[in-house]
Amino acid sequence: MRTKLGVLGYPLGHTLSPVMHNAALKAMGRDELEYVKIEKDYHELQAAIEEIKRDFIGINVTIPYKEKIMPWVQEVSYEARIAGAINTITIKDGRMIGTNTDGLGYLRSLREKDIQVDGKDILIMGAGGAARGVATALLGAGANRIDVCNRKKNRGKSLMDILSAVGNAKSSWIDFKALMRTDISRYHLIINTTPVGMHPRGSEKLPFPYEELEKHQVLSDLIYRPRLTGFLQEGKDRGLKVVDGLDMLLYQGAESLAIWLGTEPPIDVMRESLLEALRGE
Ligand code: NAP
């Protein structure tokens, strides 16, 4: 009988997913199930996938396999296809079915703080896997404009192409080098999807025209370790609403569990387990 859930990635030292999922499984009385780390280097991947198909109900996929896992997956959801990345796989009749809950998880984290995106102009910094999931979800939620600022033009443009293929949002690419000279006043929501400021280099701060920020704007960072990045601290110091990455982590995980188990998991238990794990950091 398949009794495992887990997270596939390499390295996985940092992951909080087992803590959060195991707390939920326990609270749901699903003692027969266990959520484990599947820490595999690329050359071990084929063997790991055989084991996953045999023993697992479902897995999360994280760095560096969100895009690389595609060839092993037999069915890909709309969300994963447009994001070009998979973070959740369900195993059914020996087949791997991939989807992406990052975007939905992010939207739920905004909703938690009463932040509207419908009709709003949004700036996304970074154009990687997480940015794609978030940007396409924001577009689906009715954003008016999504501008993308990153270093590598081809990556930024490829996200622009995805956005224009998915919907009618206005969008433009901003060169990272021009960010300090960019007029940021039009943006309701500004999101950092780069890893700048992430543990253990928490003192690093994204170069950004912080002096131009206004109180009605919202700053969001996908990083959850530390919860208050230098980027968010700048916003907080100026009285802006800020959203860290913890609720996105929570809700993308809750969405995955709901897919695997067919029922909504206990959000409060999951959140408390994350807060407990981060306490003292
Ligand atoms: P990724 O695919 O590697 O993309 C990273 C992006 O950041 C790229 O666009 C890259 O720019 C940019 N970047 C990297 N270093 C930079 C630097 N020093 N200066 C400026 N830009 C830089 O990574 P990802 O999977 O999207 O993850 C990004 C972040 O989101 C990570 O911190 C991750 O932990 C976080 N995340 C959080 C959650 C959550 O649940 N809270 C979920 C997923 C991801 P170029 O395109 O120019 O190379």
Side-chain angles (χ1 to χ4, degrees):
M1 198 172 75
R2 291 179 295 129
T3 55
K4 288 186 184 173
L5 296 164
V7 55
L8 172 68
Y10 190 88
L12 279 177
H14 63 284
T15 183
L16 291 177
S17 291
V19 165
M20 161 173 85
H21 287 287
N22 283 321
L25 291 171
K26 189 165 177 233
M28 294 165 92
R30 300 295 301 262
D31 297 335
E32 80 283 13
L33 300 178
E34 183 193 11
Y35 188 104
V36 298
K37 281 189 194 180
I38 316 165
E39 191 166 22
K40 301 288 179 187
D41 203 349
Y42 193 75
H43 71 274
E44 304 169 297
L45 203 52
Q46 183 60 44
I49 285 171
E50 296 310 320
E51 188 190 332
I52 288 164
K53 283 182 169 176
R54 194 181 60 233
D55 299 338
F56 286 68
I57 291 171
I59 59 163
N60 286 126
V61 182
T62 188
I63 294 173
Y65 298 129
K66 282 187 178 185
E67 292 158 57
K68 292 194 180 94
I69 200 76
M70 282 282 178
W72 276 280
V73 174
Q74 283 75 42
E75 207 178 305
V76 181
S77 73
Y78 174 76
E79 290 79 5
R81 193 158 35 82
I82 56 172
I86 288 172
N87 83 330
T88 304
I89 291 177
T90 308
I91 294 96
K92 209 171 176 188
D93 303 326
R95 287 161 55 79
M96 306 238 289
I97 302 164
T99 191
N100 193 317
T101 64
D102 279 342
L104 198 48
Y106 182 68
L107 288 184
R108 283 183 75 175
S109 80
L110 292 184
R111 229 173 283 145
E112 184 79 18
K113 290 218 152 60
D114 282 333
I115 293 158
Q116 312 296 325
V117 295
D118 194 7
K120 304 292 188 192
D121 290 357
I122 297 167
L123 174 63
I124 298 184
M125 286 172 299
R132 287 175 178 211
V134 163
T136 49
L138 289 168
L139 191 56
N144 174 60
R145 163 175 281 278
I146 298 177
D147 290 343
V148 176
C149 174
N150 79 316
R151 300 173 304 185
K152 292 185 189 138
K153 189 171 183 178
N154 59 346
R155 222 172 176 189
K157 292 283 183 195
S158 119
L159 179 47
M160 301 276 94
D161 290 345
I162 291 170
L163 291 177
S164 57
V166 171
N168 291 323
K170 299 163 207 131
S171 59
S172 54
W173 178 72
I174 298 166
D175 189 335
F176 198 72
K177 290 195 225 81
L179 182 59
M180 296 303 285
R181 301 187 304 277
T182 301
D183 175 12
I184 56 160
S185 64
R186 72 186 308 170
Y187 303 112
H188 172 65
L189 172 63
I190 302 167
I191 312 164
N192 175 34
T193 76
T194 80
V196 179
M198 190 164 74
H199 176 82
R201 296 157 75 138
S203 56
E204 276 184 4
K205 197 166 59 187
L206 209 63
F208 187 84
Y210 295 106
E211 298 302 325
E212 310 300 321
L213 286 168
E214 293 167 24
K215 278 205 172 66
H216 62 87
Q217 295 176 300
V218 178
L219 287 196
S220 160
D221 202 320
L222 301 198
I223 294 170
Y224 52 83
R225 219 176 203 158
R227 290 190 69 189
L228 196 61
T229 55
F231 177 67
L232 292 188
Q233 183 71 60
E234 291 281 351
K236 207 170 175 200
D237 289 348
R238 292 174 172 78
L240 276 74
K241 203 177 232 189
V242 301
V243 187
D244 65 52
L246 197 71
D247 273 356
M248 175 176 174
L249 176 71
L250 167 67
Y251 285 118
Q252 60 77 32
E255 291 289 336
S256 299
L257 260 187
I259 291 170
W260 298 322
L261 305 182
T263 177
E264 177 77 7
I267 296 294
D268 291 347
V269 171
M270 293 172 80
R271 180 182 284 113
E272 189 45 46
S273 71
L274 289 174
L275 292 174
E276 178 62 35
L278 288 173
R279 220 157 266 154
E281 277 194 7

